[in-house]
Every structure is written in C-alpha cells, then in structure tokens.
Amino acid sequence: MKPKQLYIMLATLVGLVVLSVISDRTPVERPISEQAKLVNLMPAGISADKVTAIEFVVNDNADEKKAEGDAAKTESFPVLKVVRLNGSDWVVATAWDAPANKEMIDSFLKTLIEMKGDFVSDREERQDEYQVSEKKGLKVNLYAGAGASPAFSMYIGSNRGSDASLVRLAGDKTVYSIGKSLRSELAMWDGDTKPSRRKWIHREVIKVDKADIAKLDITYPDHILSFEKVEKKNDAKEGEDKAAPARAEYEWKLVSGGTGDDFKKDMLDRLVDNVFSFEVDDVVDPGKKKELGLNEPVYDCIVTLKDGKTVGLSAVRDGKGDKAYLYTKDKQDRLYQVSTWTFDNLFMSGVTLFGLKAPTIEKEKILSLSLKHGDKIISVKRKDKDSKWELVAPQTGFQLKQLRVDEIAEKLSKWEVADYTDPKGMVQFGFSLPVCTLDIGLEGGESRTMLLGLDHPGLDGAYVSVGAKDSALVMKSEDVKGIFADLNDVLDFGRSIVPAKFAEADAIAVSDGPASFSLTSTKDEKGNQIWTLDFAGKKDVASTETVDKYLAFLGGLKATGIVGKKDEAETDALPRSVKITVGEESFELKMGAETDSGVVLTLSHETLPVILSKSDADKLMPKPAGFIPEKKPEIEIPPVAEPEEKGKPVSVTKTIKNPFEEE
C-alpha cells in the first residue's frame, strides 16, 4: 500500500472516532414529530400524592481520600430529607423536623413525575464525566407508602445549559438528558455538592393578618418601645359635617419609650410589615440555644391582636458578624438563623425610627485632648486650629503622629450614633469604670467629657456617655476606634530606641544568668579593632564580623509600643540586660515581663518602658558561642612534580599556615 493511501485511511479513521465521540457527548436534537420517542423515566405506579418522603444522598468519596494502596471505599449518607406527616404537612427531617416548604416539594415532585429522558450514553466509563456515577452523582430517593426501601432512585448529574440536566436511574447504565435544570432548581451552583436546605424549609414563621394588630411592644437590650393602634380623630372644623366616616381609620401612637422626637411613620409601617413578612435563612440545632445566647435573649417583639392573643419572637444578634438567631414564642425549641439585614428591619434602631443624630463637636474648636485608658494617659494640645499638636504627656522621646490626632478631632465632628438607650444608671453601661475617659478642651475655655463603656450586646458598637444630662448612646465600632485612641496609636515608633552614638561601642555586657558574657574592644599595632570575649572566666578572640552585625542590629532596633507605667516592666525572672559603653558613657536595655503584645524593655534614657517584639527580644540576648570565630582548617597543598634531577622524579609536600587563623 502506498504511503498516500495509508495517510488517507488514517485520517478517515480519526474523523470517524471524533464523530463518534461528539455524537455520544451531545444528544441529538429531535423534531417535534419524534418527541413521543422520549422515555418516561418515572414508573407508572408512582404519583406525587403517594410519595411519603424525598431523600437526597451524596457520597463522601472516601476512595479518593484513601492513601495509595488502601482498599477503595465509598460511603453514602443523606444530606437532606423531607417527610410527609399527613395529607399536606411536610417536615425537613434533616433540619430537626422544621416545617417544610410545600411549594418547593410540589414543584420538585411535578418535575420528577413528568420528566422524559433523551438518550445520551450507556457507556459506564462516562458516568463520572457526566456526574451521574455513584461517586459523583447526587442521588434522589422517593419513598411511597410504609416501605423501608425507595420506590424510585435516580442520580442527578451536571446541567446541560440553562434548561437541561443529565440523569441516570439507579441500577441502569443509561444516561439521559431531561428538559429541566435540576441542580438549578435545587439551588446547587458551581462547587456545591448538596441541595440548599434554605429552599426546603418553610421560611415564614409568623403569619397573622396585619389588620388584626392592636399593639406592638419591642424590647431592646437597653430600651423599650410600645406602639398602639388608635382611631384617628375627626378634625372637622366648626360648621363642617362631623359625621363619622363610613369606615374608621387608624394610626400608630407611641405610648412608651422613645427619644422625645416624633417617630417616622413610614419606618414604623415598614417595621410592622417586616414582622409578618420576613423569612428565615436556616434552621439551627436546638442544642446550641445556650451557646447562641437564646436562653436569655436580649431582643423581644410581641404583637397583641384585637382579640387579646399575642404572637412574637425572641432574638439575639451577633454584633461582630453577619448572623442573628431567633425563635417564636409558641415554638421556643425551634431555632432559626436570619441575616443581620433582616434582624435590623425587625428591631429598627433609634436612628431609623427617630432620625437620631450624634452630638458632634466642630473640629476647629478643639484645642486639647486627654485620653485616659486605665493608668495610661496621653494628653495633647495646640494653640489654635492652624497649629501643630504638642505632646503634653507622657514625657517620652517618641514623636507624636500629627495625622492620627487630626483624625480624632475629625471623628469627633462626624461620628454616628448606632442607637440610643433609656437612662437606667451608669453601672449598666460600664461608665462607673469606663474603658476610656476623653476630656476635650474647646475654644473659650469650654470643655466636654466622653466616657467609653461596655460593648453593645447586639450591635457592632459600644456605649458612650456625652455629658451628665444625656442618656447613653451607642457609638459604631469604627468611630470608637477612631476617637478613643490608645497611647501607642498616636506615637511614632519609627526611630531606633538605641542612640546612634552607641553604634561605635567600646564594650558590650550581656547579663543573662549563667550565659552572661562581655565583649571588649581594643586596637592592635596597626590600629585595627579587636574584640575580646570574656565568658565563664575565660577570654578568647571574638569575631569582629559577628560583633559588627550585633551592633548594626541594635542600631536598627525599634519599639512596637510604650508602657504606661514602670511597674509593668517588673518580672520575677532572673535579671536580663544588655549594657553598651562608649568612653565614659553607657546605655542599658533591661528585659522585663513578657506580654501578649511582646516583651517589656526598660531603657536607661527613657522615662517609660517600651514594648519589643518577641523575635527582636530573642535576638537582643545572644549566646556567647555565637561570637567565637570558626576555626579554619590548615590548607594542604597536594604533591607536585619537581624537574627531574639526575633522572629521578622528586615529590614534594608543603604545608602552609591558614591565613585566616589568628596567631
């Protein structure tokens, strides 16, 4: 056979293989006249009204997790199961028997009952690719009657476009395409391995007629609001018809609580609508009631109906996170999770309901600031709005961060309230022992004092007091951080804590118990610097290179913070210190207690101790062995052949002194 003919045959063969693969991967579009040839996948004896449970099962793919050589194993477990209790009531068995979403169940069963399959492939090796294998597929089981075994089982595979899915009946190798995107219907997106439980639970937990509401009582951690629905007055003027309208009109009235300002009626109407229309996101394990704080909830919403009956809910909010949790008064053992957005629309803040604003201060009028965090005090002042800030206390060699102090003044002029409180005394909000006290000096000799109290139990903020006449307010966390700055937040630690002149040290003494040693500098006959190590009564020549590196480290040593008082540096451990001497002057760094933020370090030229990072603290206390130079071996010159002498070769070996070894 000629080569040209062979090439033609090979090309034809490859084309046939490609065509076979394409035809196997892509279902053939059938004209309407052939739709009757599609396969009914649901057995004739199963109907939606006979289904008693729907179960979704996934595999843990244990065989993929096994170490190479171990026996393959795949274990299945249900990730979601809904069970019919009676005629039309369903519960989610895998969500602590929470009521199920009947509309979702009816829709899904209708899809399964009516689905028709279009042949795709019957090759078993393609099942993983189509995600319909036992390992990759999502298995759905339908139960009918009281039988323990499923009446119908099918694997749901990957989507084909936006309106088709690949499926495989259990026990059958054939893969079909159906005209419905099942994974989309189950809210399964890229990477999801199981259906979203959110779609299967009944998410509306309070259901009454809004027209039947007579009263609304809302309890917050620090205040209470009570609203009553009252009949509108007939305000007809004298001489006008005062006859009662055919239909009475009602409006909401604030009967208890509030800020003293009128509430926003549109916001209250929205709150009332939210109480009866909000939806939960998920069901929570009842065993976590105490852990979540729902055994003592700090939020309550009670609705009183015209007939005197009440409905309501209790809730908690994760102030630092994005979740909140609640239960209804009639089902206190059934816990739900909601978003903080939903929560905030149920328990509206005073800002939303009353338009509450913060008592701000014009930044240009601020001339002094004094912040007291426990025993730590930082005070700054300026002559006028155009002058730089000066550090009044503490007395330290570190510079003030001008921009950071400007930010405090800026925040005082723009901070926002998160909520208000009812005045119930100073202790409840933590003002008897405030986290921080801020004294603000203003133009004309006026002053203000702000107290920072405890964190709010539900919001991302903390309580602040802005004068004796005002009740406590809740300040947002971002404003708390911006205004109540820590001592170390306003000082610049960019410079070295070791003065530059000590880089040319004459002597270094390290006091570290049994590992104490000293280094002394001298000059040789040629004026070169020589360091001598004195350790445990023995002297040795030290590595000049290592000493220089250590001095360079000291020259770049920086603090990460400052300590408010000297006794914080005290420790029960053995004294550890480094003393550097230049001529007649010396400088000492004394190690103190270890804290979460680092190691306290007392400096001989600073009035207050500083904080040193733990890694720098370890480098500050070197071991004496690190300064001993490495011994260089003698260099042996291999034998070389000398010129022949009287016909005899002579081999010579020379040993020379290592030039790097000291005498």
Side-chain angles (χ1 to χ4, degrees), residues 577-593:
S577 64
V578 175
K579 187 176 183 180
I580 310 168
T581 303
V582 176
E584 299 297 322
E585 193 173 358
S586 63
F587 170 73
E588 188 173 20
L589 305 92
K590 186 180 295 183
M591 303 282 282

Side-chain angles (χ1 to χ4, degrees), residues 437-627:
T437 300
L438 171 59
D439 292 315
I440 307 163
L442 305 173
E443 288 180 350
E446 295 184 28
S447 64
R448 298 273 185 89
T449 297
M450 294 180 72
L451 303 178
L452 176 63
L454 302 172
D455 287 341
H456 192 277
L459 302 176
D460 188 13
Y463 293 111
V464 293
S465 173
V466 195
K469 294 182 180 180
D470 298 322
S471 62
L473 298 172
V474 183
M475 180 184 284
K476 293 181 178 180
S477 286
E478 59 186 83
D479 291 324
V480 170
K481 294 175 184 177
I483 293 174
F484 296 95
D486 183 75
L487 175 65
N488 295 321
D489 196 22
V490 297
L491 295 178
D492 187 353
F493 298 102
R495 68 167 179 83
S496 172
I497 59 176
V498 179
K501 62 183 176 181
F502 288 99
E504 302 296 330
D506 297 327
I508 304 170
V510 177
S511 177
D512 192 13
S516 300
F517 66 94
S518 65
L519 294 161
T520 307
S521 173
T522 58
K523 302 287 185 180
D524 63 9
E525 297 176 353
K526 297 181 180 180
N528 297 319
Q529 189 177 37
I530 299 175
W531 286 93
T532 301
L533 172 68
D534 188 342
F535 171 60
K538 296 181 180 180
K539 294 185 178 182
D540 199 352
V541 175
S543 167
T544 301
E545 181 183 358
T546 305
V547 176
D548 288 344
K549 287 181 179 179
Y550 182 64
L551 288 172
F553 162 73
L554 292 176
L557 195 59
K558 297 177 182 179
T560 60
I562 195 170
V563 177
K565 53 183 182 177
K566 285 191 174 182
D567 59 11
E568 290 189 47
E570 296 177 359
T571 177
D572 296 331
L574 292 173
R576 304 175 72 205
S577 64
V578 175
K579 187 176 183 180
I580 310 168
T581 303
V582 176
E584 299 297 322
E585 193 173 358
S586 63
F587 170 73
E588 188 173 20
L589 305 92
K590 186 180 295 183
M591 303 282 282
E594 184 173 317
T595 68
D596 292 338
S597 55
V599 178
V600 180
L601 189 67
T602 302
L603 308 175
S604 56
H605 69 297
E606 285 282 354
T607 56
L608 292 175
V610 300
I611 300 292
L612 195 64
S613 69
K614 293 179 182 179
S615 60
D616 281 345
D618 291 337
K619 295 176 184 177
L620 182 61
M621 304 300 297
K623 300 301 179 185
F627 291 93

Side-chain angles (χ1 to χ4, degrees), residues 208-224:
V208 296
D209 191 337
K210 181 180 175 181
D212 292 336
I213 305 173
K215 188 179 180 183
L216 182 64
D217 295 299
I218 308 175
T219 301
Y220 298 78
D222 37 40
H223 62 279
I224 297 174

Side-chain angles (χ1 to χ4, degrees), residues 381-430:
K381 67 177 183 178
R382 63 180 177 180
K383 295 179 181 179
D384 52 52
K385 64 179 183 179
D386 298 319
S387 302
K388 285 188 175 182
W389 294 97
E390 299 175 14
L391 182 63
V392 178
Q395 296 297 320
T396 176
F398 295 104
Q399 297 298 310
L400 193 65
K401 291 181 181 177
Q402 294 290 327
L403 293 178
R404 182 64 184 90
V405 182
D406 285 339
E407 184 187 354
I408 297 175
E410 181 77 18
K411 285 286 187 180
L412 284 169
S413 70
K414 292 183 177 180
W415 71 279
E416 296 181 0
V417 175
D419 210 344
Y420 79 101
T421 67
D422 289 336
K424 295 181 180 178
M426 305 289 274
V427 177
Q428 177 190 2
F429 306 123

Side-chain angles (χ1 to χ4, degrees), residues 51-53 82-92 97-100 334:
V51 175
T52 57
V82 292
V83 177
R84 190 196 300 267
L85 295 182
N86 49 54
S88 60
D89 293 332
W90 291 78
V91 296
V92 184
D97 290 340
R334 181 169 295 143

